[in-house]
């Protein structure tokens, strides 16, 4: 039987968007049919490195990205491109969790394979909307912040679960409702409708991060909220921004103490 870890590696290595989407769809379907094994004797994962990426977009420091308003077609296309880039990264983040962290319950792998499939669908929807506006993925510069955090947490599943889904990806829970409101005011219901789908499904993705962060903490015998606070201080001060969508984050598994820690970290 083929290995889930090999399938995840192949999805990570796929560079062209169409190839990554196709590999993700095929691997997720194979996993759902029970055709991929999770062998206990699998060799350890290779050290983390950049996953497969197309030649474009050009990756730059976030400070080099121009600020554009949503009032023009160009500005909306750049905004959609930025969200598409996050979703493209999120495909790899989910597959890297599957590939990198071994010996975990089957439910861990089921969660992150499902997340990878969702993120691929989100990217496809956004890419389609970009094309409707006369652009495509790669037409605007982007940054590599999500993957940089994956590299920093490759050594520790607990830190990965705390910081990638619950800090970086959860930022979408905070900002997306306001963007949907602005887009509807501009009568761009097509984009707003896509973001409604993404927002609803991202709550479940962040909740998966919360679930496995808590699982790791229980296994390690540490209290989740104090450990989360420590990780915010150690890793996330530069990337943590408020205000926070407290109802959405609560629905995604944040405790009251963790929500307080987030608020205090940006004061």
């Amino acid at each position: 039987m083929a290995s889930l870890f090999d399938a995840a590696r192949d999805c990570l290595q796929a560079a062209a968007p169409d190839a990554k989407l196709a590999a993700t769809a095929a691997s997720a379907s194979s996993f759902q049919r029970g055709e991929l094994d999770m062998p206990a004797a699998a060799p350890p994962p290779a050290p983390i490195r950049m996953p497969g990426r197309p030649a474009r977009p050009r990756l730059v420091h976030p400070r080099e990205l121009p600020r554009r308003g949503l009032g023009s077609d160009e500005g909306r296309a750049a905004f959609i491109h930025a969200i598409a880039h996050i979703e493209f990264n999120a495909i790899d983040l989910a597959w890297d969790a599957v590939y990198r962290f071994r010996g975990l319950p089957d439910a861990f792998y089921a969660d992150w394979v499902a997340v990878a499939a969702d993120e691929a669908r989100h990217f496809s929807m956004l890419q389609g909307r970009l094309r409707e506006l006369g652009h495509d993925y790669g037409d605007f510069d982007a940054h590599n912040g999500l993957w940089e955090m994956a590299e920093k947490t490759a050594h520790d599943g607990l830190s990965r679960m705390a910081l990638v889904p619950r800090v970086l990806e959860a930022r979408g829970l905070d900002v997306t409702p306001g963007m949907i409101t602005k887009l509807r005011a501009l009568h761009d219901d097509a984009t707003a409708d896509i973001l409604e789908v993404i927002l609803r499904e991202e709550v479940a993705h962040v909740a998966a991060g919360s679930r496995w962060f808590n699982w790791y903490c229980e296994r390690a015998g540490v209290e989740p909220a104090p450990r989360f606070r420590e990780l915010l201080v150690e890793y996330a001060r530069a990337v943590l921004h408020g205000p926070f969508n407290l109802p959405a984050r609560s629905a995604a598994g944040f405790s009251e103490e963790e929500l307080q820690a987030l608020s205090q970290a940006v004061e």
Side-chain angles (χ1 to χ4, degrees):
M1 183 180 289
S3 164
L4 174 63
F5 304 128
D6 290 344
R9 180 202 59 215
D10 292 343
C11 290
L12 283 163
Q13 291 177 345
D18 287 350
K20 198 175 291 287
L21 295 180
T24 294
S27 295
S29 294
S30 294
F31 180 77
Q32 290 169 355
R33 293 193 298 268
E35 296 170 356
L36 296 177
D37 189 23
M38 293 165 280
I48 195 166
R49 58 184 178 85
M50 274 288 286
R53 285 283 187 271
R56 299 170 62 200
R58 186 173 70 108
L59 299 179
V60 302
H61 192 279
R63 285 194 299 266
E64 296 181 45
L65 296 175
R67 293 184 176 273
R68 297 181 173 94
L70 294 178
S72 67
D73 287 347
E74 184 86 357
R76 272 180 290 137
F79 165 74
I80 295 165
H81 187 277
I83 305 302
H85 182 65
I86 291 170
E87 300 299 321
F88 193 74
N89 272 269
I91 301 168
D92 286 326
L93 291 167
W95 281 124
D96 190 71
V98 171
Y99 172 74
R100 190 153 308 285
F101 303 116
R102 308 284 171 97
L104 300 176
D106 289 357
F108 177 91
Y109 302 106
D111 275 349
W112 295 109
V113 170
V115 169
D118 284 349
E119 306 292 18
R121 180 164 42 82
H122 295 170
F123 174 83
S124 184
M125 290 190 293
L126 291 161
Q127 185 182 47
R129 182 64 182 138
L130 267 176
R131 290 171 174 171
E132 290 172 356
L133 294 174
H135 291 276
D136 207 339
Y137 181 59
D139 285 357
F140 299 90
D141 292 344
H143 69 80
N144 198 38
L146 277 169
W147 192 254
E148 288 170 358
M149 185 64 83
E151 291 174 338
K152 292 175 183 176
T153 57
H155 65 289
D156 179 35
L158 187 154
S159 297
R160 172 71 66 85
M161 293 296 109
L163 294 164
V164 171
R166 305 184 87 223
V167 172
L168 295 185
E169 294 187 80
R171 182 65 179 150
L173 305 185
D174 304 325
V175 302
T176 304
M179 303 311 299
I180 290 170
T181 299
K182 289 180 181 179
L183 289 164
R184 294 211 185 279
L186 293 167
H187 308 292
D188 188 353
D189 290 323
T191 305
D193 288 347
I194 293 170
L195 294 189
E196 292 273 12
V197 173
I198 292 174
L199 176 61
R200 182 172 61 250
E201 296 183 354
E202 289 295 347
V203 172
H205 298 173
V206 177
S210 295
R211 181 162 54 252
W212 292 106
F213 170 64
N214 287 321
W215 181 89
Y216 270 109
C217 287
E218 182 177 356
R219 186 176 72 166
V222 300
E223 288 295 321
R227 185 64 184 130
F228 184 58
R229 188 186 301 272
E230 292 168 356
L231 290 167
L232 291 178
V233 171
E234 183 176 356
Y235 288 99
R237 283 195 182 278
V239 298
L240 195 63
H241 305 285
F244 303 105
N245 183 343
L246 299 182
R249 284 177 176 266
S250 180
F254 284 78
S255 68
E256 286 297 322
E257 190 175 348
E258 288 173 328
L259 294 175
Q260 290 174 4
L262 285 169
S263 298
Q264 291 166 359
V266 298
E267 288 178 354

